[in-house]
């Protein structure tokens, strides 16, 4: 018997945690996009009001065909949250 709970196919991502600009933790996760989104939003809520500068990145790689070079290339797709503002951010 097959049950469909309405979830998409699992994605594999890398979740990176930084304190300041130093990478302190990196882990691979594989889950449906809905779960990954909920996990990321949970991290945003936990760090939004922290006094220590922190950053989270959720990264996945997508294979794309470069018709000009005639080869497959990997493109980095990511979402990032940090609880501080850089001067370059405007």
């Amino acid at each position: 018997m097959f049950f469909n709970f309405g979830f998409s196919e699992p994605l594999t991502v890398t979740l990176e945690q930084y304190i300041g600009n130093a990478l302190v933790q990196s882990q691979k996760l594989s889950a449906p996009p809905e779960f990954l989104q909920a996990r990321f939003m949970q991290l945003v809520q936990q760090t939004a009001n922290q006094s220590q500068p922190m950053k989270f990145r959720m990264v996945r790689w997508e294979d794309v065909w470069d018709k000009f070079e005639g080869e497959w290339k990997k493109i980095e797709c990511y979402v990032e949250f940090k609880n501080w503002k850089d001067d370059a951010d405007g």
Side-chain angles (χ1 to χ4, degrees), residues 6 11 13 27 30-31 33-35 38 43-46 48 50 59-60 74 82-83 85:
L11 288 177
V13 300
Q27 67 184 65
S30 187
E34 298 86 357
F35 287 114
L43 292 170
V44 167
Q45 291 172 347
Q46 290 174 355
Q50 296 285 329
V59 182
R60 70 181 172 88
K74 289 199 175 285
K82 58 185 177 182
N83 65 352
K85 182 176 179 178

Side-chain angles (χ1 to χ4, degrees), residues 31-68:
E34 298 86 357
F35 287 114
L36 296 173
Q37 178 184 357
R39 177 68 178 132
F40 190 80
M41 292 308 297
Q42 179 184 38
L43 292 170
V44 167
Q45 291 172 347
Q46 290 174 355
T47 60
N49 297 318
Q50 296 285 329
S51 60
Q52 187 173 31
M54 298 178 77
K55 175 171 73 173
F56 289 94
R57 283 176 37 110
M58 190 173 283
V59 182
R60 70 181 172 88
W61 292 89
E62 184 101 9
D63 290 325
V64 296
W65 178 254
D66 183 338
K67 69 178 183 178
F68 298 109

